[in-house]
């Protein structure tokens, strides 16, 4: 039995004892004892350390302490070595000998086990220097990593129970309430009701009995803040509750905690027993005459029991369903007695506020949201864990700076705040400050602190369905809107996910959301539509894709596609089919399959941005399949399918302007449909950007020529050297052709917007590459600077190098991870000697004798987030510097040439043609597609645009004559289904390439292609996730 | 008093009133479904009664939201109307569409409220219904949870009014439903079959099992001699089935109607009510004189009997051993009457018209075969008889008045008042007083035991017996209270009347719908009127038909024949 701690002096004595104990040890190893770290093996690490200390005789010098969770959950098991605060992560017991030998004995910390900066790769030794910790503000979590939650002495050592003593001896109840009110503390359970005001209401209600309740029924998917506070700092909750009890004159408290949190219950039980034994809880607390007891009530885990009235019903032994309010709990709560209910985080903030003063607390945060907020950051995020930040911190700072952003180079898509009652906010909202009102404006709620990060692989419709499912499952069923309304919404969402959505469903969902929000009995129902409303607000395109196109862009809704790779492909190439044929050695058949959906398979086998690969299911096991390379292998090794001249069966004539991939595809598709087609091309050869923009070392000319010839061989007429509007008036086309398709691409580099951009030696990347391809006399100087981070920048840089430049620098205004260029290309450029400088942007082009001489650059830092989810670069003042440059190639984007498309009656926005969803323009006989519509995109996007526009043109032309649209007759090719019985982990096959030293100054193709053995082996890696059950 | 504005109308109502009450007092009808103020049931669950309150974020449920001075309420703005329509749409989207063949057709509150709200389409998907097995396990009640709208009235009436606590919601969300405790079917449960749930259910989710087809079959079978008895309360209820004002006494029309349906004899349960008084009165006297178990508690109510069998089996010896009037009738119809008439008891078919659902269970009890046959063959509720008469096209109001057949049709005013709470006690006191003192009660109106107070008490000096203390209880929740006192030795009564239903049989589980306390009082008033103004004889022992029965058949009260035919035993049941 501990001695009753009846005074401040007694608290101080305990503090001194703990200090004295710490002083005995040279080093203190603080191992995180959270569940997560336990699961990853912290127990083994600790026992290995224990043994090692025993064996090495360090036991008297080195102390091991198992602390509460420090929040860096995905880094575990973690350990911090005090006093230097050296932080180790992902420890294994095998690491212990090295740790003991080097760090504990020799005093040399083990770098290998430290956190490494993801960009620089540098080890960061101290915990306080790691961004995850450095950028946080510990207030509620101020004891994390410093105490053993099972020892009340540790809590007292951290000034625990002093606030309680102050509240019981030096403050009157109204002073306590004033302090809490002045602090600006608002309910951390999510509602954000001012805590002091709640207490004041209850204090002013007259009653012989009152209750203080702690809501520990945390149940949002992905939320674990309260659980961790209970497990790691249980006394803070108890201390807060005593202070609250004193404020309203209550003598009994309950902590309502779900039974699914056994460790939390164990730690709380232990804390209550210790506090009682020390006279810090129970009768006559600290000799002040104040009595207060706390009991734990274990709930069975119904989410609705987190609703205050349902929680009270549950404690009363009734079914956990909400009761109507008013009366409010402050007037009639538990057992109809005035009660205050706050959540775990709120309670544990209270002692700190009393101790540090309201002003100090109120100085943190925003105008209306004070103090700090703890978030459980989960989902597609590098550092899953517990994060505490001051109110006002932006969402982007939490997600990117503290939690390390989205893993696997995926794009950030949305953050779900506030769990099932909250909303999904998109990248546009990354600058959103954490503030009750601001978050509501954005369509979400603060909630209790669950923050789920979603990347491009998340389908927002599916996400809305999931949350509606959750609400339906967790609805108590008492009120109609929640019981039936959420069910109906869920059904509608399910229909949409299954491809059975109707366009009017959107309006219906909105209308149902409003009705449910307006009529449901409790918060659960009233907020249940939030995830739907927020996704409708920000991701309506995804809903439309599901409803209109019957496509799930994220590749999640399984009813809408056969395989995720095919779903991701803009032309839906039959990827599983041709991979299966390669596996079976039927390369010729594979080629026929390729050609069914794509007239440019050998081009795409080389230069496609392969969105398919990022969705490959195999990637979830080890690495995605090398789909692009297998495609190239087929076209390299198989006999090309025969091409026959296709007969003209229709009277209408079609003109296509632009012989790039969009135009040529559209021409072929119209030819297949029986039309006479003529393609007009301004340049001497067909191919567009493929011919003139992509360097030969990536796409050999003969390869491209072969696929273009295949199209011409069907009977498509090509007229090169004819620039419409210059060589031939557009009106002539209108006269001679029934339908016109414009696919002229984006042929003009965007300007930097600086003076002297017209000087000699400055040339846009597109123009530079085109001139080179045309064989024009372009010269590069010694020092070439390329501005930009996309594929054109890399192409220009590598081409310049091959043309004899002495030094080629790519100057990019953001960080490497933000570069839109294909990673392999960036690496290849670096291998060849291109240097890339990040966070720099051109400020001034300096000219000498009319020729570019040097470039003044600004050093940039990353500012607020932009709509793409990346930070916007901002110039650092005084960070200007000058580099010598004799050739400057801006590669910051392309646009269409307005004079190429100045056909009358075509709607234009900026530099693109405005089209309807069916690619028709404002001109009744003109369709358009490709980069002239979308701006810079992938080859495969242009091909897709050509196909879709052709289908729409054909449909329109036939409609005039009352005919049904054309239907393709597909050649039957039997696709084998063969999979390995066991899947053995095996990385993607590497693409053989010319050694950098052999690439030299020539334009020989760098990538060499798979041999049959590699291709078949790679094809075998396909897990055939397209298999239909029962197949 | 609070002064508030509802739809720009200033309304003054007592503090603590709800918006719904305030609006109705101002002549504004806000549609509502779940609330049932009479049983203090306002869960705020259905959300049909939502209204707009100025400065409130969401709409509020008028049935539970307390008024406050200065409050501004709008009850039919576009927002409110659209919300209500959605709520009704939600309910209808999960409700079977077979209204036209539903037993509650015509009495369905969901249909009435849907009509008020005016929803004309269902735009949400309703391919997914709540499908639940129909609980058809008893011959008394049928529960079809697919018709349930989760108003929870049955839960409240079962727990708070009847103290049975049988029905309870279980499960979550769309899958939630109301079930007997532990998910048992009714047959395996502690249901008392009082049927109050059928009275409060706004839809056809809980209804009595319809046995009209069995009666039609018997009536159409030429080899069967079909006799009918009507419980006391029926004559004060049946008119409501035909749109007559509550409290209209229709004894004569009822008799004519039954005859027109084709019953061979129209008798009356009131006759055996008188008989019960003779037997039970003598039993009481016997117990008092011989030191038998006291207080003695009445046994005419089958819901009450099943309740005590389940929940207070230790107190069973307190029950009178008398069968209920219904069962006494059945036993006599197939013995005394059959003999007298000279017909084979096997061909006698006894139909009871009862304001009660539990009577269906009682008639089927295995011990109720003292005639050698099932004593009562079919029990119909008032509602079922109403249905039969409508099927037959019999318009009650315009019928000439008929008279009961002999020999078991004649009755006294004491028999009539059996149909209301306190009636048995009043009738018994009249006869006991007369038997003990040889004189009539100074006033035959024992008003202390009348009315709707839950527990009523009376004390009466009865000659050599001295002061006889009596208590009258109605509603099983009140029964629980008095039994708890009894078990604790704090109920020093001689005689207790307990009826399961609030108001007694006039408020029975088989009464016409919709029901209310107001109607119960009017119906009781009709019975008291019959007792005082219509019947020439007001005391059971004065009924000449009873005298004839004893003289010619039973011989003496509590005699051997009485014991065989008119008394029974009880079974202790688990919970």
């Amino acid at each position: 039995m501990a001695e009753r701690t009846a005074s401040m002096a007694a608290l101080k004595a305990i503090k001194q004892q703990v200090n004295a104990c710490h002083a005995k040890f040279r080093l203190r190893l603080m191992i995180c004892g959270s569940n997560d770290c336990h699961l990853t093996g912290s127990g083994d690490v600790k026992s290995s350390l224990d043994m090692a200390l025993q064996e090495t005789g360090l036991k008297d010098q080195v102390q091991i302490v198992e602390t509460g969770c420090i929040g860096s959950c995905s880094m575990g098991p973690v350990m911090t070595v005090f006093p230097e605060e050296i932080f180790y992560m992902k420890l294994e017991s095998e690491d212990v000998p090295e740790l003991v030998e080097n760090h504990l004995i020799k005093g040399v910390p083990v770098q290998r086990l430290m956190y490494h900066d993801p960009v620089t790769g540098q080890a960061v030794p101290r915990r306080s220097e790691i961004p995850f910790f450095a950028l946080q503000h510990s207030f509620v979590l101020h004891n994390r990593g410093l105490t053993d939650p099972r020892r009340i002495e540790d809590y007292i050592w951290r000034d625990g129970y002093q606030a309680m003593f102050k509240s019981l001896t030096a403050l009157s109840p109204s002073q306590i309430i004033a302090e809490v009110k002045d602090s600006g503390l608002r309910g951390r359970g999510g509602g954000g009701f001012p805590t002091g005001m709640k207490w004041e209401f209850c204090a002013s209600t007259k009653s012989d009995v009152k209750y203080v309740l702690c809501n520990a029924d945390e149940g949002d998917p992905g939320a674990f803040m309260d659980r961790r506070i209970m497990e790691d700092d249980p006394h803070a909750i108890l201390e807060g509750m005593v202070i609250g009890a004193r404020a309203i004159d209550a003598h009994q408290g309950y902590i309502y905690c779900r039974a699914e949190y056994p460790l939390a219950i164990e730690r709380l039980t232990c804390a209550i027993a210790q506090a009682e034994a020390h006279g810090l809880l129970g009768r006559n607390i600290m000799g002040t005459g104040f009595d207060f007891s706390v009991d734990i009530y274990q709930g069975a885990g119904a989410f609705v029991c987190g609703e205050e009235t349902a929680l009270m019903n549950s404690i009363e032994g009734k079914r956990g369903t909400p009761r109507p309010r008013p009366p409010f709990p402050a007037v009639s709560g538990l057992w109809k007695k005035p009660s205050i209910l706050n959540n775990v985080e709120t309670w544990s903030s209270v002692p700190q506020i009393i101790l540090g003063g309201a002003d100090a607390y109120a100085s943190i945060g925003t105008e209306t949201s004070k103090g700090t907020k703890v978030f459980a950051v989960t989902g597609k995020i590098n550092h899953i864990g517990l994060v505490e930040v001051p109110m006002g911190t932006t969402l982007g700072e939490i997600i990117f700076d503290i939690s390390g952003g989205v893993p696997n180079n995926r794009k950030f898509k949305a953050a779900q705040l506030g769990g099932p009652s909250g909303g999904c906010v998109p990248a546009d909202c990354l600058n959103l400050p954490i503030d009750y009102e601001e978050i509501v404006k954005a369509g979400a709620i603060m909630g209790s602190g669950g923050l789920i990060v979603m990347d491009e692989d998340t389908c927002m419709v599916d996400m809305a369905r999931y949350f509606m499912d959750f609400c339906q499952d967790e609805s108590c069923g008492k009120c109609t809107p929640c019981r039936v309304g959420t069910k109906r919404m869920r059904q509608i969402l399910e229909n949409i996910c299954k491809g059975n959505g109707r366009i009017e469903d959107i309006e219906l969902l909105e209308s149902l959301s409003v009705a449910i929000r307006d009529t449901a009995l409790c918060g659960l129902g009233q907020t249940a539509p939030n995830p739907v409303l927020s996704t409708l607000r920000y991701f309506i395109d995804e809903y439309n894709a599901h409803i209109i196109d019957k496509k799930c862009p994220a590749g999640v809704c399984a009813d809408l596609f056969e395989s995720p790779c095919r779903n991701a492909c803009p032309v839906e190439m039959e990827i599983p089919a041709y991979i299966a044929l390669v596996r079976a050695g039927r390369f010729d058949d594979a080629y026929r399959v390729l050609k069914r959906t794509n007239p440019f398979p050998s081009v795409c086998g080389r230069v496609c941005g392969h969105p398919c690969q990022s969705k490959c299911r195999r990637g979830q096991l080890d690495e995605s399949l090398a789909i692009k390379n297998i495609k190239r292998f087929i076209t390299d090794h198989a006999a090309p399918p025969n091409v026959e001249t296709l007969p003209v069966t229709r009277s209408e004539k079609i003109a296509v302007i632009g012989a790039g991939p969009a135009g040529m595809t559209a021409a072929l598709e119209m030819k297949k449909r029986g039309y006479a087609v003529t393609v007009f091309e301004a340049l001497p050869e067909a191919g567009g950007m493929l011919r003139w923009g992509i360097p030969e070392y990536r796409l050999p000319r003969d390869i491209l020529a072969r696929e273009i010839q295949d199209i011409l061989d069907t009977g498509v007429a090509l007229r090169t050297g004819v620039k419409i509007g210059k060589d031939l008036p557009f009106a002539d086309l209108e006269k001679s052709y029934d339908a016109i398709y414009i696919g002229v691409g984006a042929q003009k580099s965007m300007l930097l917007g600086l003076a002297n951009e017209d000087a000699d030696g400055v040339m846009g990347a597109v123009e530079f590459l085109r001139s080179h391809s045309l064989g024009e006399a372009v010269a590069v100087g010694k020092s070439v600077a390329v501005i930009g981070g996309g594929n054109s920048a890399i192409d220009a840089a590598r081409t310049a190098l091959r043309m004899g430049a002495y030094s080629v620098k790519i100057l990019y205004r953001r960080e490497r991870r933000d570069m839109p260029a294909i990673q392999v290309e960036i690496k290849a450029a670096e291998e060849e000697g291109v240097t890339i400088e990040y966070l720099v942007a051109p400020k001034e082009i300096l000219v000498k004798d009319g020729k570019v001489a040097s470039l003044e650059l600004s050093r940039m830092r990353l500012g607020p987030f932009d709509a793409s989810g990346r930070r916007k670069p901002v110039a650092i003042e005084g960070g200007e510097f000058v580099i010598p440059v004799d050739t400057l190639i801006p590669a910051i984007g392309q646009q269409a040439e307005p004079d190429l498309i100045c056909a009358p009656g075509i709607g234009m926005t900026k530099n693109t043609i405005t089209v309807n969803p069916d690619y028709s323009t404002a001109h009744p006989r003109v369709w358009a597609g490709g980069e002239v519509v979308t701006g810079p995109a992938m080859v495969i996007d242009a091909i897709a645009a050509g196909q879709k526009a052709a289908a729409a043109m054909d449909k329109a032309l036939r409609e005039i004559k009352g005919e049904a649209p054309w239907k393709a007759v597909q050649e039957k090719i039997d696709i084998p289904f063969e999979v390995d019985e066991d899947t053995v982990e095996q990385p993607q096959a590497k693409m053989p390439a010319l050694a950098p030293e052999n690439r030299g100054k020539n334009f020989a193709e760098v990538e060499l292609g798979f041999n049959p053995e590699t291709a078949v082996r790679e094809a075998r890696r396909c897990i055939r996730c397209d298999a239909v059950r029962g197949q | 008093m609070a002064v508030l504005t509802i739809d720009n109308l200033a309304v003054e109502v007592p503090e603590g009133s709800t918006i719904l009450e305030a609006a109705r007092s101002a002549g504004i009808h806000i549609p509502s479904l779940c609330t049932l103020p009479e049983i203090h049931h306002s869960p705020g669950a259905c959300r049909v009664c939502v209204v707009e309150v100025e400065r409130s974020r969401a709409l509020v449920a008028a049935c539970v939201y307390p008024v406050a001075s200065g409050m501004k309420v709008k009850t039919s703005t576009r927002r409110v109307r659209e919300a209500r329509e959605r709520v009704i749409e939600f309910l209808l989207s999960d409700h079977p569409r077979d209204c036209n063949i539903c037993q509650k057709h015509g009495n369905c509150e969901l249909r009435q409220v849907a009509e008020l709200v005016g929803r004309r389409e269902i735009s949400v998907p309703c391919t997914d219904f709540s499908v639940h097995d129909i609980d058809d396990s008893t011959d008394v009640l049928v529960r079809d949870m697919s018709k349930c709208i989760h108003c929870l009235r049955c839960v409240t009436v079962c727990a708070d009014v009847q103290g049975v606590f049988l029905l309870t919601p279980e499960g979550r969300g769309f899958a939630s439903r109301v079930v007997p405790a532990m998910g048992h079917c009714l047959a395996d449960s502690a249901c008392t079959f009082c049927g109050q749930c059928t009275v409060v259910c706004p839809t056809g989710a809980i209804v009595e099992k319809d046995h009209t087809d069995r009666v039609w079959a018997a009536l159409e079978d030429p080899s069967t001699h079909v006799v009918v008895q009507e419980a006391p309360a029926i004559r004060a209820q049946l008119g409501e089935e035909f749109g007559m004002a509550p409290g209209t006494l229709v004894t004569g029309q009822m008799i004519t109607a039954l005859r027109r349906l084709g019953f061979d004899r129209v008798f009356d349960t009131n006759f055996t009510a008188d008989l019960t008084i003779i037997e039970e009165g003598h039993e009481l006297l016997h117990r008092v004189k011989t030191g038998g178990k006291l207080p003695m508690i009445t046994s005419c109510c089958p819901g009450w009997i099943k309740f005590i069998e389940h929940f207070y089996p230790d107190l069973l010896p307190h029950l009178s051993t008398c069968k209920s009037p219904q069962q006494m009738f059945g036993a006599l119809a197939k013995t005394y009457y059959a003999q007298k008439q000279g017909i084979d008891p096997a061909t006698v078919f006894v139909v009871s018209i009862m304001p009660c659902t539990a009577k269906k269970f009682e008639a089927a009890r295995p011990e109720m075969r003292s005639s050698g046959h099932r004593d009562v063959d079919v029990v119909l509720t008032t509602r079922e008889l109403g249905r039969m008469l409508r099927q037959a096209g019999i318009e009650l109001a315009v019928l000439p008045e008929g008279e009961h057949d002999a020999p078991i049709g004649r009755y006294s005013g004491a028999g009539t008042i059996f149909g209301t709470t306190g009636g048995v006690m009043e009738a018994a006191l009249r006869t006991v007083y007369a038997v003990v003192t040889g004189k009539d009660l100074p006033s035959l109106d024992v008003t202390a035991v009348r009315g709707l107070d839950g527990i009523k008490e009376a004390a009466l000096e009865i000659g050599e017996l001295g002061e006889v203390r009596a208590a009258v209880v109605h509603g099983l929740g009140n029964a629980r209270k008095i039994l708890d006192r009894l078990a604790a030795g704090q109920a020093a009564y001689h005689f207790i009347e307990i009826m399961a239903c609030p108001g007694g049989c006039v408020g029975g589980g088989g009464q016409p719908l919709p029901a209310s306390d107001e109607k119960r009082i009017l119906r009781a008033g009709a019975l008291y009127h019959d007792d005082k103004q219509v019947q020439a004889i007001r005391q059971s022992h004065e009924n000449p038909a009873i005298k004839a029965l004893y003289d010619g058949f039973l011989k003496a009260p509590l005699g051997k024949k009485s014991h065989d035919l008119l008394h029974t035993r009880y079974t202790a049941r688990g919970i």
Side-chain angles (χ1 to χ4, degrees), chain A residues 810-829:
Chain A
I810 291 177
L811 305 166
Y812 183 52
R813 61 192 185 126
R814 303 180 191 254
E815 290 185 321
R816 181 181 184 117
R817 60 175 171 216
D818 299 322
M819 283 178 88
I822 299 171
Q823 284 301 312
V824 180
E825 294 291 316
I826 303 172
K827 272 201 201 105

Side-chain angles (χ1 to χ4, degrees), chain A residues 302 319 324 326 472-475 477-481 483-485 487-488 491-492 508 511-512 515 517-521, chain B residues 43 45-47 59 64-66 79 83 86 90-91 93-94 123-125 127-128 149-150 169-174 176:
Chain A
R319 181 169 158 91
Q472 171 56 216
D473 280 352
E474 293 296 341
S475 162
K478 183 173 176 182
C479 79
T480 311
R483 181 183 69 252
V484 187
K487 167 83 175 180
R488 298 309 179 213
Q491 277 182 285
I492 296 169
L508 184 58
S511 159
L512 295 179
R517 199 172 52 186
D518 251 0
T519 59
L521 170 58
Chain B
C46 76
R47 317 306 286 176
L59 301 178
V64 284
Y65 208 87
R79 181 177 169 208
R86 281 294 181 207
F90 290 150
L91 286 173
S93 78
D94 187 33
S123 50
V124 296
T127 44
D128 210 345
I149 60 162
H150 299 250
E170 65 125 53
R172 289 188 197 171
F174 196 69
S176 65

